[in-house]
Amino acid sequence: MLAVAIIGSGMAGPVLALSLHKHSIPCVLFELRTPDSQQGGNIALAPNALRVLDHLGIYDRLRLLGYNYEELGFTNGSGMILGKLWNGSQKVYNFPALRIHRSIVKEELIRECEKKGIEIRWGKKCTGVEEEREGSAVVRFEDGETVEAQFVVGADGIHSKIRPFMFPGTDPIFSGLMGVMGTVMVQNLNSLCETHGLDLPCMIFGAKGSFAIMPASFGGNELGYFATLEAKDRGRTGWQMLEKNQAELKEMLHERFLPEKNGFPVLVKELVEKTASETLTSWPFFSVPHLHSWSSPNKRIFVIGDAAHAIPPTGGQGAAMAFEDAETLAYVLARVLASDFNANHLSDIVSKWEHHRIDRIVKVVNFTTKNGDLRKSSPHYYEQAAKEWIIWATFKFMGPEGGAHWMYAYNAESVLGALA
Ligand SMILES: Cc1cc2nc3c(=O)[nH]c(=O)nc-3n(C[C@H](O)[C@H](O)[C@H](O)COP(=O)(O)OP(=O)(O)OC[C@H]3O[C@@H](n4cnc5c(N)ncnc54)[C@H](O)[C@@H]3O)c2cc1C
């Protein structure tokens, strides 16, 4: 029987596998995709995410493959700076922030798993939990195979097949917002910086929605953007179709960001006009309803990452939370799989981990929701003015840490204190 079966090899899965490896705990990853499948887009990794990757020894490789920065400028539609957030800081947090292709992070994690001899079984679609026993759990796969392990961890993302076993009826809920992302090479842009006066990276909070512009390559040559728009739910198939419909995505951007009256800076218009269609991708913001627990009755099955708490990207913390869950859960599993562990304490130690993580997720979700509200368009002048004032006042009174210190300074090792 396996010690740990991990379902899903996205962000949380390989980080859990590598963290378990540090504790000499064997595991196998089961992933429905093939090794070459790509999931597009860039992500910004804040210090709390990078700290986990550093503990695994891969941060130093990754930082050379993306754009390292500290300040993220917040501006209004005309480019006036409302405040600057330390999205990372070498001095305060030991890490600057890193903007990087999501697929590069995944590839590096997989490479590290392979280097460590961790088995990944590709093309294995889990269809759910077969049963939970006293000392193990059994999962089944589409090809008919069943696998028994002492512990099963669902790291299988927002549409998890593991979560319904413990928490039926927890389908993801659409937030009313979506992101459209694109990329343009700097050399294709005219008079970058001279004409629009924007310091990059920046997040523009306009009256007609928000538009983040962030370099995504080490030298800053590749400029990615992330537009946040209000949208109606299209259902899972509708969203999948939209992701492939670059013409419709382009039209959405043109309608929102090109008209003169909508008042976005010249750079935004140029980026929208010069985006090669094949770089366009979309992302509807869904969240998983709040769960009070992330484990099964016998504490043999867990959910982590998006499977447990998918949150909109407006706080830039989705991957970070997945990494933290994984590293902290590895500490728990290391304790319970140790030869001197008293099985009567399993429920207690798992509850302590859950409290530690769920308390934090609640705070992160609040932070994310507030940020999401600011990214919405403002139908009236006074709403826009209030939005700009809130942003300005936040940085005026809180400084560049912007009230995010508690989030970025977190070290997953702190779970050890909570488990005591
Ligand atoms: C475009 C984009 C931009 C983002 N930007 C940011 C950002 O700036 N900062 C940030 O912190 N986060 C960001 N996120 C969010 C972040 O990527 C997610 O929160 C993170 O990937 C969650 O990791 P996960 O491992 O829980 O889930 P996933 O990464 O979704 O991985 C789940 C894995 O499970 C596999 N799987 C699913 N179902 C099954 C099954 N039935 N059987 C077997 N395998 C299965 C999937 O194929 C996938 O590989 C972004 C996400 C996207 C899409």
Side-chain angles (χ1 to χ4, degrees), residues 83-147:
K84 285 193 173 188
L85 171 75
W86 284 340
N87 204 179
S89 164
Q90 191 74 50
K91 197 164 151 212
V92 180
Y93 303 119
N94 296 337
F95 300 92
L98 179 69
R99 184 81 176 163
I100 187 165
H101 289 245
R102 201 160 164 267
S103 56
I104 293 181
V105 180
K106 267 180 77 171
E107 277 161 24
E108 282 302 319
L109 287 168
I110 299 302
R111 191 165 302 147
E112 193 65 15
C113 285
E114 285 168 354
K115 225 164 86 183
K116 297 278 189 309
I118 296 166
E119 187 185 354
I120 307 177
R121 295 184 59 187
W122 299 100
K124 289 291 287 183
K125 182 174 182 180
C126 177
T127 51
V129 176
E130 185 79 16
E131 66 170 311
E132 184 181 32
R133 299 175 179 157
E134 188 62 33
S136 68
V138 183
V139 275
R140 59 177 181 278
F141 292 87
E142 200 175 46
D143 57 11
E145 190 185 3
T146 54
V147 168

Side-chain angles (χ1 to χ4, degrees), residues 9-192:
S9 183
M11 296 278 154
V15 169
L16 175 61
L18 291 165
S19 303
L20 290 173
H21 185 269
K22 279 177 71 172
H23 297 284
S24 306
I25 298 173
C27 65
V28 175
L29 285 150
F30 296 86
E31 166 60 47
L32 76 84
R33 294 174 197 271
T34 52
D36 53 350
S37 77
Q38 298 265 332
Q39 278 177 298
N42 298 311
I43 55 173
L45 297 177
N48 54 320
L50 298 173
R51 200 166 287 117
V52 174
L53 298 176
D54 194 44
H55 291 163
L56 299 177
I58 63 170
Y59 168 67
D60 280 319
R61 287 208 303 274
L62 280 175
R63 76 180 173 81
L64 300 175
L65 300 171
Y67 185 73
N68 298 267
Y69 66 97
E70 302 211 334
E71 284 184 340
L72 174 62
F74 284 33
T75 81
N76 68 7
S78 38
M80 190 180 100
I81 291 179
L82 304 169
K84 285 193 173 188
L85 171 75
W86 284 340
N87 204 179
S89 164
Q90 191 74 50
K91 197 164 151 212
V92 180
Y93 303 119
N94 296 337
F95 300 92
L98 179 69
R99 184 81 176 163
I100 187 165
H101 289 245
R102 201 160 164 267
S103 56
I104 293 181
V105 180
K106 267 180 77 171
E107 277 161 24
E108 282 302 319
L109 287 168
I110 299 302
R111 191 165 302 147
E112 193 65 15
C113 285
E114 285 168 354
K115 225 164 86 183
K116 297 278 189 309
I118 296 166
E119 187 185 354
I120 307 177
R121 295 184 59 187
W122 299 100
K124 289 291 287 183
K125 182 174 182 180
C126 177
T127 51
V129 176
E130 185 79 16
E131 66 170 311
E132 184 181 32
R133 299 175 179 157
E134 188 62 33
S136 68
V138 183
V139 275
R140 59 177 181 278
F141 292 87
E142 200 175 46
D143 57 11
E145 190 185 3
T146 54
V147 168
E148 183 178 7
Q150 283 175 273
F151 293 96
V152 166
V153 182
D156 51 343
I158 189 161
H159 301 291
S160 172
K161 290 282 186 282
I162 302 297
R163 188 178 63 240
F165 176 78
M166 285 104 90
F167 314 106
T170 49
D171 290 343
I173 301 163
F174 182 57
S175 69
L177 290 173
M178 67 175 287
V180 180
M181 291 82 78
T183 306
V184 181
M185 298 309 284
V186 164
Q187 60 266 30
N188 297 336
L189 298 164
N190 297 324
S191 56
L192 184 71

Side-chain angles (χ1 to χ4, degrees), residues 84 100 104 122 149 195 199 241 254 265 279 303 311 341 408 414 418:
K84 285 193 173 188
I100 187 165
I104 293 181
W122 299 100
T195 52
D199 273 342
M241 280 163 65
H254 277 235
T279 73
V303 278
I311 50 177
F341 184 72
Y408 295 158
S414 66

Side-chain angles (χ1 to χ4, degrees), residues 77 204-211 227-230 252-253 255-264 374-380 384 387-388:
I204 302 162
F205 293 87
K208 294 289 176 190
S210 79
F211 198 96
T228 307
L229 314 168
E230 281 92 353
M252 282 174 157
L253 292 174
E255 206 177 277
R256 184 71 66 117
F257 298 103
L258 291 194
E260 207 62 45
K261 63 177 168 49
N262 288 355
F264 282 95
L374 293 172
R375 287 203 202 181
K376 289 177 184 161
S377 51
S378 327
H380 300 292
Q384 178 63 18
K387 186 164 81 181
E388 291 181 20

